[in-house]
Amino acid sequence: MSEEIKTAENAAASNFIHDFIDEDLKEGVYTHVQTRFPPEPNGYLHIGHAKAICIDFSTAEKYGGVCNLRFDDTNPVKEDVEYVDAIERDIKWLGFNWANVYYASDYFDFLYECALKLIDKGLAYVDEASADEIREMRGTLTEPGTESPYRNRPIEETKELFRRMTDGEFPDGAMVLRAKIDMSSSNLNMRDPIIYRIMKATHHRTGDKWCVYPMYDFAHPLSDAKEGVTHSLCSLEFENHRPLYNWFLEALDIPTPPRQIEFARMNLNYTLTSKRKCLKLVNDGLVSGWDDPRMATICGMRRRGYPAEAIRAFVDKIGVSKAYSVIDYALLESCVRDNLNENADRAMAVLRPLKVIIDNYPENKTEEIEIDVNPGKPEKGKRSVTFSREIFIEQDDFMLNPPGKYFRLCPAKEVRLKGAYYIKYASHETDENGNITAVHCTYDPESYGGETPDGRKVKGTLHWVSADNSVETEVRLYERLFNVPNPSDEEGVSSFADNINPESLTVLKGCRIDRSLAGVKPGDTFQFIFLLSMLFRHIYPSEVIEIFEKVSLHLYTLHK
């Protein structure tokens, strides 16, 4: 187990956010707690969002408060109702319910009035400089910015220009509305930030009513205040934005302003969470879509068979801090494995089938073999699988000339069929190329369930399915999408392609599953019983299966 996992598992999950809230409540700054989760509907949520969701909703729950869902829909060019629906679906799947659904666009009139108030106070001006000129005037981390030549234009002139911007008289990029703060501030965010820009685009909710839209840094604190948010919880990259967040609230005389508290974002190795880069993966066909099971999106993990409870447990285990860290993906898999070991039903499947014919088993006879639905939950009872004269086992579970310490089926060893009988090799069949196509065996009818009158034991136990009572299936085996721990450091789609794991998806045809699984619903999860064959391939013996269609399975390896 990696040091990252040991540290995360052994350390008490800290939560300084709750300490701050306890202090605020004790001092009477707030009498209740209200939070919000404010995603922009321009893509699908990923594992990093899962952390923010858990923090926002569980904090409100802890204090008996409310958490609203608010869509930050201030950029109509990139936003779509498709993403709104997907975000709501993902939050519900994770097990959380919001008190209300709001949109930043609900407050466009209010935000516009706030902008006019800043103008009237002499705290905002219309700047006609180009984007490049504004960027140049902003300065650097070591050099102060320079004031725009439009910075001190008269208030009435600014109001008139802002009205004309709103009326659509100017093209995109012709001018912007900037806050007048401090061009020499050591914090670049305070150097007269843009608060409104011209964007002649149809909004998914307001249509063509507006052709000017507020910037995030302006809309966010005022939307929080409008809703009555007490504690605005966000990731650490917004820490340098907090002075600006507070400045807008103070400049506009907002009573009892929200308190912004930042926490470290989740950085998970071997994953990519940048929306821009994920979109590149999707558009260039490197993955099948946002819900590709190899993606770190919540919808991808749902398809992958990850239980929502496991993701929440993972977030709880890593805790809340301000320290930058990279979490080992194996910790997430450990949480998933623990949950599935406890909750997932067991089932039988053979991925690379080899027919076994039991010569001394009656040809027309079948019997029902009982296996535990879940060994950890005996109350779930047993699952019946049909045993017959012809069965399938894994190709790797038979060798004519095995190496030492080989405990599976071979001419010299007796093995046990899971839940059924002991069998011995008798002969085999081959095709014209010498490939083994079937193995003939004999069975001991007195060895049912692994007990024999003479008390003999075998070291090998094989999983199997009946030839007549199984269905042919396509199985997709998934591994990690990237070969490098931090693909976000790689620039350009060519780098993504170079670092994609060529074995991240393997499609197997002609696999066999027990017929009882053919009717399961999309999203049902199982642990297939892979015993010695999987151990010998150094794969965790209980693989996770998600069944989507009667003839299409998705298989995921959980690493030790």
Side-chain angles (χ1 to χ4, degrees), residues 40-42 72-81 108 197-208 210-214:
E40 182 179 3
N42 65 346
D72 171 38
D73 56 345
T74 57
N75 188 352
V77 173
K78 296 183 178 180
E79 296 155 3
D80 194 275
V81 69
F108 279 174
R197 77 284 204 197
I198 301 171
M199 188 180 295
K200 294 181 178 179
T202 300
H203 192 278
H204 72 103
R205 295 186 74 242
T206 60
D208 296 321
W210 297 93
C211 61
V212 293
Y213 290 93

Side-chain angles (χ1 to χ4, degrees), residues 166-184:
T166 308
D167 289 343
E169 291 189 27
F170 306 113
D172 290 6
M175 54 190 67
V176 294
L177 183 68
R178 297 176 67 180
K180 186 188 294 186
I181 307 179
D182 182 3
M183 291 302 294
S184 63

Side-chain angles (χ1 to χ4, degrees), residues 349-517:
V350 173
L351 302 189
R352 299 171 178 86
L354 173 64
K355 179 171 283 190
V356 171
I357 302 167
I358 305 172
D359 293 333
N360 62 332
Y361 193 90
E363 289 192 30
N364 297 321
K365 179 182 177 180
T366 61
E367 55 186 305
E368 296 302 308
I369 303 295
E370 302 292 322
I371 64 170
D372 291 323
V373 171
N374 188 321
K377 294 186 175 180
E379 66 274 13
K380 282 197 163 188
K382 303 282 186 178
R383 178 193 299 276
S384 293
V385 293
T386 302
F387 185 80
S388 58
R389 186 171 186 266
E390 295 187 0
I391 62 173
F392 290 108
I393 66 171
E394 293 286 347
Q395 293 176 11
D396 288 351
D397 284 345
F398 173 74
M399 292 185 71
L400 277 177
N401 302 296
K405 296 185 179 180
Y406 182 86
F407 300 113
R408 290 168 281 172
L409 184 61
C410 62
K413 287 186 172 66
E414 187 177 40
V415 297
R416 177 194 175 206
L417 297 174
K418 171 69 176 176
Y421 300 96
Y422 288 4
I423 60 172
K424 287 183 179 179
Y425 167 84
S427 63
H428 65 276
E429 301 174 15
T430 59
D431 60 19
E432 62 274 12
N433 297 316
N435 299 313
I436 296 174
T437 57
V439 176
H440 290 261
C441 294
T442 59
Y443 87 113
D444 179 356
E446 296 185 337
S447 63
Y448 180 81
E451 301 293 333
T452 61
D454 59 9
R456 71 185 188 278
K457 300 294 182 183
V458 296
K459 293 185 176 180
T461 301
L462 309 182
H463 64 281
W464 54 273
V465 295
S466 168
D468 292 333
N469 284 278
S470 61
V471 293
E472 189 170 297
T473 303
E474 176 186 291
V475 174
R476 300 165 197 164
L477 295 87
Y478 289 93
E479 285 280 354
R480 293 170 182 166
L481 183 58
F482 294 101
N483 282 326
V484 294
N486 192 1
S488 291
D489 285 346
E490 309 296 330
E491 291 297 333
V493 71
S494 61
S495 297
F496 295 156
D498 291 343
N499 291 308
I500 285 179
N501 176 10
E503 298 181 353
S504 64
L505 172 60
T506 302
V507 180
L508 300 178
K509 305 285 188 179
C511 308
R512 310 288 298 200
I513 58 171
D514 186 76
R515 187 177 297 277
S516 64
L517 297 180

Side-chain angles (χ1 to χ4, degrees), residues 19 53 66 71 93 113 147 179 213 220 252 286 332 344 352 360 373 416 434 438 453 462 483 487 502 529 553:
D19 295 338
I53 290 168
V66 297
F71 291 102
W93 177 76
E113 290 300 319
E147 294 185 358
Y213 290 93
H220 183 67
L252 291 162
L286 296 174
L332 172 59
R352 299 171 178 86
N360 62 332
V373 171
R416 177 194 175 206
L462 309 182
N483 282 326
I529 302 172
L553 303 185

Side-chain angles (χ1 to χ4, degrees), residues 97-322:
N97 292 296
W98 48 84
N100 303 282
V101 177
Y102 296 123
Y103 294 80
S105 55
D106 292 336
Y107 313 129
F108 279 174
D109 289 313
F110 166 70
L111 296 172
Y112 190 79
E113 290 300 319
C114 288
L116 290 176
K117 287 181 181 179
L118 289 180
I119 295 173
D120 285 337
K121 287 187 170 188
L123 296 177
Y125 62 96
V126 169
D127 196 334
E128 298 176 53
S130 68
D132 289 339
E133 290 171 335
I134 291 175
R135 192 178 301 111
E136 183 69 23
M137 287 186 286
R138 196 180 186 205
T140 67
L141 291 172
T142 58
E143 297 178 353
T146 56
E147 294 185 358
S148 167
Y150 304 100
R151 193 174 194 265
N152 296 312
R153 71 190 329 160
I155 290 175
E156 290 304 318
E157 182 181 338
T158 288
K159 288 180 70 173
E160 177 63 15
L161 286 172
F162 190 46
R163 181 193 63 77
R164 293 172 64 190
M165 287 170 58
T166 308
D167 289 343
E169 291 189 27
F170 306 113
D172 290 6
M175 54 190 67
V176 294
L177 183 68
R178 297 176 67 180
K180 186 188 294 186
I181 307 179
D182 182 3
M183 291 302 294
S184 63
S185 172
S186 59
N187 186 334
L188 270 65
N189 294 303
M190 301 296 285
R191 295 181 185 176
D192 290 13
I194 297 171
I195 58 177
Y196 263 91
R197 77 284 204 197
I198 301 171
M199 188 180 295
K200 294 181 178 179
T202 300
H203 192 278
H204 72 103
R205 295 186 74 242
T206 60
D208 296 321
K209 177 181 177 180
W210 297 93
C211 61
V212 293
Y213 290 93
M215 301 295 288
Y216 175 85
D217 278 339
F218 180 67
H220 183 67
L222 297 176
S223 297
D224 282 349
K226 184 69 172 176
E227 287 175 19
V229 169
T230 60
H231 295 86
S232 182
L233 312 179
C234 56
S235 50
L236 203 57
E237 62 264 34
F238 292 101
E239 185 174 37
N240 287 336
H241 295 249
R242 192 192 332 143
L244 181 57
Y245 181 99
N246 293 334
W247 186 90
F248 282 127
L249 296 174
E250 292 171 8
L252 291 162
D253 303 316
I254 300 297
T256 317
R259 176 176 184 174
Q260 178 173 303
I261 306 173
E262 307 87 13
F263 55 86
R265 65 182 299 171
M266 181 186 293
N267 300 290
L268 194 63
N269 62 8
Y270 295 98
T271 63
L272 196 64
T273 55
S274 162
K275 287 181 181 178
R276 176 178 62 85
K277 294 178 180 179
C278 287
L279 183 61
K280 192 76 171 169
L281 290 175
V282 173
N283 289 343
D284 288 354
L286 296 174
V287 294
S288 62
W290 285 95
D291 64 346
D292 188 300
R294 295 167 292 177
M295 295 278 275
T297 54
I298 294 176
C299 57
M301 290 183 172
R302 181 166 60 246
R303 282 192 65 195
R304 190 167 183 144
Y306 283 12
E309 297 83 0
I311 295 176
R312 296 202 305 270
F314 170 63
V315 172
D316 288 342
K317 189 166 288 190
I318 64 176
V320 180
S321 72
K322 281 209 169 190

